[in-house]
Amino acid sequence: MIVVEDLHRHFGGFRAVDGASLTIKTGSITGLIGPNGAGKTTLFNVIAGRLPPTSGRVLMDGEDISGLPPHVLFHKGLLRTFQIAHEFGSMTVRENLMMVPPDQAGERIWNSWFARSRVAAEEKRIRQKADEVLDFLTISHLADQKASMISGGQKKLLELGRTMMVDAKIVFLDEVGAGVNRTLLNTIGDAIIRLNKERGYTFCVIEHDMDFIARLCDPVIVMAEGRVLAEGTADEVKNNERVIEAYLGTGLKNKVKEAASHG
Amino acid sequence: MDVLNALVAFLNFVFIPGLAYGAQLALGALGVTLVYSILRFSNFAHGDTMAFGAMCTILMTWWFQSIGISFGPLPTALLALPFGIAATAAFVLATDRVVYRFYRRQKASPTIVVIVSLGVMFVMNGVIRFIIGVDEQNFSDGARFVLNPQDFKVMTGLAEPLAIKTTQAVTVVTAVIVVAFLFWFLQKTRTGKSMRAFSDNEDLALLSGINPDRVVAVTWIIAAGIATIAGVLYGLDKSFKPFTYFQLLLPIFAAAIVGGLGSPIGAIAGGFVIAFSEVMVTNAWKKIVNYLVPEHMATDSLLQLLSTDYKFAVSFTILIIVLLFMPTGLFKGKSL
Amino acid sequence: MNQRSLILFALVACLYLGTGFLQSWNLSLSILNAALLATIAALGVNMQWGYAGLFSVGTMGFTALGGLAVVLVSAKPNVENWQAGGWGIVLALVLGALSVMAAIFAWRKLPKGRTRALVVAAIMVGGFFLFRAVFDPNVMAAEAINPQFAGNLGGLGLPSLVAWPVGGLLAAAVAWGVGKTALGLRSDYLAIATLGIAEITVSVIKNEDWLARGVKNIIDLPRPWPVPYEVELQQVPAFLDLVGRWGLDPVTTSTIGVKLLYAGMFGLVLAAIIWAFERALHSPWGRMMRAIRDNEVSAAAMGKDVTGRHLQVFVLGSAVIGFAGAMMTSMDGQLTPGTYNPLRFTFLVWVMVIVGGSGNNWGTVLGGLLIGWLWLVVENVGPNIMGLLTAPLPDSWLKAHLLGSAEHMRLLTMGVILLLVMRFSPRGLIPEK
Ligand SMILES: Nc1ncnc2c1ncn2[C@@H]1O[C@H](COP(=O)(O)OP(=O)(O)OP(=O)(O)O)[C@@H](O)[C@H]1O
Ligand SMILES: [Mg+2]
């Protein structure tokens, strides 16, 4: 369970996250939506240790994790993907996946000289795992391509694939579906549900596609201007006045209402 | 107990030298900081730019001296300074044109540009050695003292003489003028304002129609100007030796980082912090202390914290302390 | 390696062979040995820059630390100096280290606030004065004894070969301290910090006479096993026999033989380091390092401790540089702190890495051998070229000045080469794959 308490993150005078408080329950697939610039990505960055909070706390299963560096959080089982894909461009797609498992014996330089067979055996296992993930994401044919060469949508799949290389507790997905076609988006949705059911991953998903959110997420949290505006099921937030207002601006909202009452 | 004599000794051995050295470092650090905030890289060739400027000025000074032009009690080098600045600015602009511009257009990473600046440093160093050699050169002339130690003794009747060298006075006065001019320029002129905008946010500045080439050129000219002035002042005060200027890189960068890289006020503060720490730590306090304590407690030891051979250790230590406890420096860096 | 690299290596080999045939084999081998040592240091720099993108300019300092290790390990102990002040100096150093540790301990344990800062500062200042109180008299006592010929504590009298790894360790220890403070911050901070530590290291070696006689130099360091002294070699019947059979001059042959032996040893070390580095690069460790270099943010999000890994690479690379520095002092048989100059020991090594191709060990070797050759040959050839160029000029101060300044040409040459390579072939002669 992740609890965010009155979190602030300011850039100079600008309050990107401005007192957000929310809870992500263990086992849930929580949606996080909000208009562009609402502070969703910044919130992720603070939770995942990429940015230190200006003030406020983040608790993971009761432990204060605010300000811990990303690699420490990774080892605690907190993973994230990036809105703008952060692939390792000079490495192949498969290598991008194979680097993920933590504490590999071969990551100790000593073992690369004196424990070659152990490293080789481990590499075989990891490689197999990587190929399974690639299969699952339907990008096996890209395995040996340089990651800088694949398309934007494929990079997003790679981002998701990396989180599947380990046993995570909670995964933060930042617009993992952006730039991915609808069929694939459904596959990704299925994958998320399966990982949630079978492996017990908790998810927090940022997405602008409401259908996708509605299919996967319960609850859905709405952010605007750095704060949490509403929380509830997808239907509840869709019909929440303040949410519509935040998305459309007040003027537009009235027009929508008018149109609804006329029609 | 002799507070007055102790005070005079303090002024003589700590305060005045520290002030002059601080002014030189502050000017050096200002150049580094300026280049950093506009061109966004740490210029390792800055020490050699100072040496280059000093060299040009020295050559001009020698020529003036040979044809009998002098500046009365002031060093002739001050007359030669504008020529030195012009030559250095031309050289630096040419360097920008053939070297740095390419990387700027490419948006190369800052570290790459730093390495390039190492190459420039090599070339400048080679040129300097080629033209003027590696030896020490003395080019200070004019009156030696503003305040002659003998006169002071006679005037006050104190045992301890107070000396203010002309070069020290010139250093401080020049530094004040330069800094005042620079701040006026950055705050008040159109070009200065556009430089500040550029340093704050390059993209926004470009959108609002600022001509980047002009900003860059002006930056280089100012950097060359203050580097030359700093180099000449340092050479007048101590002496000119090309290798010392390379070694000045450390205290200068330490000053800029201590103050907060990119902050002009920080650079000045940093320069004085480094200079005074260096002078205080390497000064032998015996004389001053012996004036203050009763006679039977007088000490024979030098009371020197570190020998002057380790003056770089002082800037280094301050640098490390700042890196550990406030990595952004005294004045949060990165904006003009 | 592909064909192009082979051709390049063959060309560089021709440079050395040509020097041997046209000038002298002694010269050619001297250049080769110096170049091999610089190449090993360049491999260390390549590890830091090429693998991890760390910009460190402290090569000179780590080289000098290696040299210091040779003195401390292989020089004869000066018993009288030890008795006069050696233990006191050791005690002072221990006290100094303890006060630093106490300060760190206090910083960690005390609650944040003004008291903590004051306590830590008090410990540091008190520790400093304690250190000086014990240190100064003992240094005076130790240096007072036999200052013409010794005045230093001397070393352990162990074989010179032992000093090589010790040089690496000494450099590694200092690198760890620097890296711990300067890594993880902005990238040019490491550059400034290493620049500083290099200057300070050299000034310590220059000024602390009790340590290694300072600028009075230590000259009679033993040779590493199995290299013989030329004069001894010239007495060995088997050697004279061999020389006689081939009709060679025993003196020249012995000097060449010794140099060949050094070249062989350095070659072995070089090969071992390349083997180790290549293996590491092609293992999951290398994959992780590439990932970190590609995208630090993402590597951290994938659980890799970026700063920790940077520290590891920085320490490893510095150890290699220290190792090379120890080998150099060992070969020279003397430690002359006055000769440590950043242009030669830091920036030249950087030129080697960049010209050869950063990130690629073979490229670094090529760059090292090529630039090493150029550096020493320009020294000899530069004045000749200048002589030719200025020949038509009438004798004048200008001509004399030009001739006199020709030796400074090589800095200019190196700078121009660096700039040209950075501009037109930024990935070097043998680019990383
Ligand atoms: N590093 C930064 N420096 C300054 N401002 C920033 C920084 N990162 C984000 N911001 C600002 O914070 C605000 C929130 O950005 P954020 O990326 O969190 O929005 P978001 O909700 O993820 O939007 P989107 O749906 O478009 O991805 C934006 O106005 C952005 O300009
Ligand atoms: Mg976002």
Side-chain angles (χ1 to χ4, degrees):
Chain A
M1 183 160 80
I2 297 280
V3 179
V4 175
E5 289 178 355
D6 191 27
L7 199 73
H8 285 260
R9 170 68 213 198
H10 305 170
F11 297 105
F14 181 77
R15 297 154 173 250
V17 175
D18 187 17
S21 301
L22 52 98
T23 303
I24 301 165
K25 287 196 207 70
T26 308
S28 71
I29 304 179
T30 303
L32 184 60
I33 63 171
N36 293 116
K40 307 179 294 290
T41 300
T42 308
L43 180 70
F44 268 27
N45 281 336
V46 175
I47 294 176
R50 165 106 177 79
L51 295 172
T54 306
S55 67
R57 294 203 303 170
V58 183
L59 306 173
M60 180 174 180
D61 298 332
E63 183 197 349
D64 187 351
I65 58 163
S66 14
L68 288 182
H71 69 270
V72 173
L73 294 174
F74 177 95
H75 280 88
K76 290 184 185 293
L78 191 156
L79 271 66
R80 61 89 57 95
T81 68
F82 293 93
Q83 179 170 7
I84 302 161
H86 274 45
E87 78 286 358
F88 304 114
S90 75
M91 305 181 1
T92 66
V93 169
R94 188 189 281 115
E95 282 178 315
N96 264 266
L97 295 180
M98 287 178 70
M99 69 75 70
V100 175
D103 306 319
Q104 302 177 27
E107 284 181 352
R108 250 163 263 153
I109 195 168
W110 195 256
N111 288 338
S112 72
W113 300 326
F114 303 112
R116 304 259 286 171
S117 54
R118 202 173 124 212
V119 173
E122 183 195 55
E123 279 289 277
K124 217 173 126 193
R125 271 202 318 277
I126 296 178
R127 191 187 162 98
Q128 212 165 13
K129 172 100 197 185
D131 285 342
E132 280 169 31
V133 170
L134 287 173
D135 243 1
F136 183 92
L137 296 173
T138 69
I139 47 172
S140 305
H141 57 290
L142 297 175
D144 295 312
Q145 293 249 16
K146 266 201 178 186
S148 56
M149 297 300 175
I150 62 178
S151 80
Q154 289 165 338
K155 284 180 186 170
K156 302 248 55 162
L157 290 180
L158 186 56
E159 287 268 329
L160 180 65
R162 292 201 295 206
T163 65
M164 296 167 62
M165 287 296 293
V166 287
D167 289 321
K169 271 193 197 157
I170 175 156
V171 180
F172 290 83
L173 300 176
D174 196 346
E175 298 195 26
V176 73
V180 175
N181 72 44
R182 181 134 311 261
T183 347
L184 210 47
L185 192 61
N186 287 332
T187 323
I188 291 177
D190 295 341
I192 292 173
I193 292 171
R194 242 178 71 197
L195 286 168
N196 175 256
K197 290 249 163 62
E198 292 172 13
R199 295 220 226 154
Y201 281 24
T202 305
F203 280 98
C204 179
V205 185
I206 297 181
E207 193 54 69
H208 285 297
D209 182 327
M210 262 325 267
D211 293 341
F212 184 82
I213 288 286
R215 180 158 90 90
L216 260 64
C217 301
D218 185 29
V220 175
I221 298 171
V222 187
M223 271 185 85
E225 291 171 359
R227 294 164 200 241
V228 173
L229 202 64
E231 181 176 341
T233 65
D235 278 334
E236 282 166 14
V237 301
K238 242 192 275 183
N239 298 320
N240 183 315
E241 293 240 337
R242 291 173 63 202
V243 173
I244 299 172
E245 205 171 292
Y247 265 96
L248 300 177
T250 330
L252 256 176
K253 187 192 75 179
N254 292 336
K255 276 196 191 141
V256 173
K257 264 193 185 158
E258 259 168 50
S261 60
H262 286 293
Chain B
M1 274 288 268
D2 193 345
V3 179
L4 275 182
N5 274 319
L7 183 68
V8 172
F10 174 79
L11 290 175
N12 213 6
F13 294 106
V14 179
F15 186 73
I16 297 174
L19 198 65
Y21 183 39
Q24 292 147 11
L25 285 188
L27 287 181
L30 262 180
V32 164
T33 260
L34 201 64
V35 171
Y36 181 85
S37 52
I38 304 274
L39 297 148
R40 295 170 213 287
F41 73 97
S42 303
N43 184 9
F44 272 68
H46 197 77
D48 282 284
T49 312
M50 285 165 58
F52 187 88
M55 178 190 74
C56 296
T57 312
I58 288 174
L59 294 178
M60 210 58 203
T61 308
W62 285 344
W63 186 66
F64 280 162
Q65 286 168 346
S66 73
I67 58 172
I69 297 181
S70 87
F71 202 7
L74 293 176
T76 316
L78 288 184
L79 282 182
L81 199 53
F83 300 93
I85 293 176
T88 313
F91 188 94
V92 165
L93 282 177
T95 316
D96 184 70
R97 177 70 186 69
V98 279
V99 183
Y100 294 118
R101 193 173 75 166
F102 173 77
Y103 299 94
R104 197 162 54 244
R105 301 250 159 111
Q106 248 194 359
K107 297 216 182 301
S109 88
T111 319
I112 296 289
V113 189
V114 171
I115 294 177
V116 169
S117 82
L118 282 183
V120 172
M121 180 195 84
F122 257 109
V123 171
M124 288 187 112
N125 205 302
V127 169
I128 293 166
R129 285 169 180 230
F130 191 80
I131 295 179
I132 204 166
V134 290
D135 300 326
E136 198 161 315
Q137 312 285 352
N138 237 313
F139 61 105
S140 164
D141 55 5
R144 215 167 114 64
F145 291 107
V146 173
L147 181 61
N148 189 307
Q150 289 313 322
D151 296 349
F152 179 82
K153 273 202 209 171
V154 174
M155 222 156 63
T156 58
L158 285 174
E160 192 62 32
L162 179 67
I164 300 179
K165 289 196 282 175
T166 316
T167 53
Q168 291 168 331
V170 166
T171 296
V172 175
V173 172
T174 316
V176 169
I177 295 173
V178 169
V179 168
F181 170 77
L182 187 66
F183 278 82
W184 169 80
F185 179 82
L186 289 176
Q187 303 292 341
K188 297 283 183 264
T189 64
R190 237 180 97 85
T191 318
K193 282 181 189 158
S194 56
M195 280 170 69
R196 276 169 46 215
F198 196 84
S199 131
D200 266 349
N201 188 331
E202 188 174 338
D203 297 325
L204 272 185
L206 291 183
L207 280 180
S208 64
I210 285 171
N211 176 357
D213 291 331
R214 194 178 132 85
V215 167
V216 166
V218 172
T219 307
W220 276 124
I221 291 170
I222 295 178
I226 37 186
T228 306
I229 295 172
V232 169
L233 293 178
Y234 186 85
L236 279 175
D237 194 23
K238 311 267 175 12
S239 74
F240 175 84
K241 193 171 180 228
F243 189 63
T244 7
Y245 283 83
F246 168 77
Q247 288 186 314
L248 273 182
L249 266 189
L250 180 63
I252 284 178
F253 267 97
I257 293 176
V258 166
L261 249 184
S263 148
I265 299 196
I268 295 165
F272 285 103
V273 167
I274 297 282
F276 275 109
S277 316
E278 218 174 77
V279 173
M280 304 238 268
V281 169
T282 58
N283 178 49
W285 290 88
K286 176 180 162 187
K287 203 171 203 172
I288 300 172
V289 168
N290 279 352
Y291 276 124
L292 289 177
V293 295
E295 206 147 314
H296 64 272
M297 280 173 66
T299 168
D300 279 335
S301 105
L302 282 175
L303 297 180
Q304 187 184 21
L305 288 175
L306 270 185
S307 102
T308 39
D309 298 317
Y310 292 131
K311 59 174 189 227
F312 293 123
V314 179
S315 11
F316 182 75
T317 311
I318 296 176
L319 179 70
I320 293 292
I321 292 173
V322 168
L323 289 191
L324 282 177
F325 299 114
M326 41 175 156
T328 46
L330 298 173
F331 295 80
K332 292 227 165 55
K334 186 70 214 79
S335 67
L336 276 182
Chain C
M1 268 203 292
N2 57 18
Q3 204 177 354
R4 184 186 131 94
S5 334
L6 284 178
I7 293 174
L8 286 170
F9 269 103
L11 285 177
V12 170
C14 287
L15 294 179
Y16 284 90
L17 292 175
T19 315
F21 281 118
L22 298 175
Q23 290 220 311
S24 83
W25 288 103
N26 250 319
L27 177 68
S28 174
L29 283 172
S30 303
I31 299 179
L32 179 64
N33 284 339
L36 279 173
L37 290 172
T39 303
I40 295 174
L43 284 175
V45 169
N46 181 40
M47 193 166 198
Q48 296 169 341
W49 169 243
Y51 300 2
L54 299 178
F55 182 50
S56 142
V57 285
T59 320
M60 171 181 77
F62 299 122
T63 313
L65 281 170
L68 179 63
V70 177
V71 173
L72 297 183
V73 168
S74 74
K76 303 184 299 300
N78 293 330
V79 180
E80 287 168 32
N81 300 78
W82 260 106
Q83 279 164 352
W87 294 113
I89 293 176
V90 171
L91 176 68
L93 294 175
V94 170
L95 285 175
L98 282 179
S99 45
V100 171
M101 270 150 58
I104 295 175
F105 182 78
W107 183 264
R108 295 239 170 101
K109 290 291 167 215
L110 292 177
K112 244 186 193 156
R114 176 163 299 192
T115 351
R116 175 170 86 166
L118 285 177
V119 168
V120 169
I123 294 177
M124 292 300 280
V125 172
F128 179 76
F129 282 106
L130 183 65
F131 165 77
R132 285 291 298 271
V134 182
F135 186 72
D136 288 0
N138 282 298
V139 166
M140 293 258 269
E143 288 178 354
I145 298 193
N146 199 4
Q148 281 96 344
F149 303 104
N152 64 322
L153 300 180
L156 300 172
L158 295 172
S160 200
L161 275 187
V162 179
W164 297 4
V166 173
L169 285 178
L170 203 57
V174 172
W176 186 84
V178 176
K180 204 69 188 148
T181 42
L183 284 171
L185 299 168
R186 216 173 17 217
S187 64
D188 18 12
Y189 286 1
L190 182 69
I192 308 293
T194 47
L195 188 78
I197 200 76
E199 289 290 334
I200 290 167
T201 305
V202 171
S203 58
V204 166
I205 298 179
K206 271 186 189 162
N207 291 299
E208 298 301 318
D209 284 7
W210 58 271
L211 187 61
R213 296 201 75 214
V215 285
K216 288 185 279 178
N217 302 342
I218 287 201
I219 47 171
D220 48 359
L221 294 166
R223 284 205 168 158
W225 181 86
V227 184
Y229 285 92
E230 289 83 349
V231 277
E232 282 168 14
L233 191 61
Q234 288 157 23
Q235 315 286 318
V236 179
F239 174 74
L240 290 174
D241 197 40
L242 190 80
V243 174
R245 215 178 310 149
W246 288 81
L248 299 168
D249 170 41
V251 176
T252 324
T253 316
S254 65
T255 52
I256 290 182
V258 165
K259 283 184 179 139
L260 269 178
L261 198 51
Y262 274 125
M265 293 167 78
F266 299 160
L268 270 182
V269 172
L270 184 76
I273 291 175
I274 292 191
W275 175 84
F277 279 17
E278 287 288 319
R279 268 214 160 163
L281 267 192
H282 293 104
S283 76
W285 181 86
R287 183 170 63 210
M288 172 175 61
M289 293 313 301
R290 265 180 296 147
I292 290 176
R293 199 185 53 177
D294 269 8
N295 193 326
E296 283 183 19
V297 170
S298 181
M302 291 299 120
K304 310 305 175 200
D305 177 3
V306 175
T307 311
R309 293 302 160 172
H310 278 170
L311 185 63
Q312 184 189 26
V313 176
F314 180 60
V315 168
L316 267 176
S318 303
V320 169
I321 299 168
F323 203 97
M327 291 199 291
M328 188 188 77
T329 302
S330 203
M331 176 178 79
D332 294 344
Q334 53 180 348
L335 181 69
T336 46
T339 53
Y340 287 105
N341 159 337
L343 296 172
R344 157 87 176 73
F345 283 93
T346 298
F347 298 114
L348 187 67
V349 175
W350 266 92
V351 176
M352 292 173 170
V353 173
I354 286 170
V355 167
S358 44
N360 182 322
N361 288 317
W362 293 109
T364 303
V365 173
L366 183 81
L369 294 178
L370 175 66
I371 297 296
W373 183 85
L374 264 181
W375 177 256
L376 289 161
V377 165
V378 171
E379 184 180 26
N380 298 321
V381 175
N384 290 342
I385 295 180
M386 191 54 86
L388 282 179
L389 286 178
T390 53
L393 290 179
D395 280 334
S396 66
W397 70 267
L398 181 65
K399 183 169 175 180
H401 178 85
L402 287 177
L403 283 175
S405 309
E407 55 175 309
H408 304 306
M409 287 297 289
R410 57 184 183 172
L411 282 178
L412 201 71
T413 319
M414 288 304 144
V416 170
I417 290 179
L418 181 65
L419 289 178
L420 287 178
V421 170
M422 289 292 288
R423 171 77 177 260
F424 296 107
S425 170
R427 302 177 62 217
L429 291 173
I430 308 184
E432 193 188 0
K433 281 189 294 294

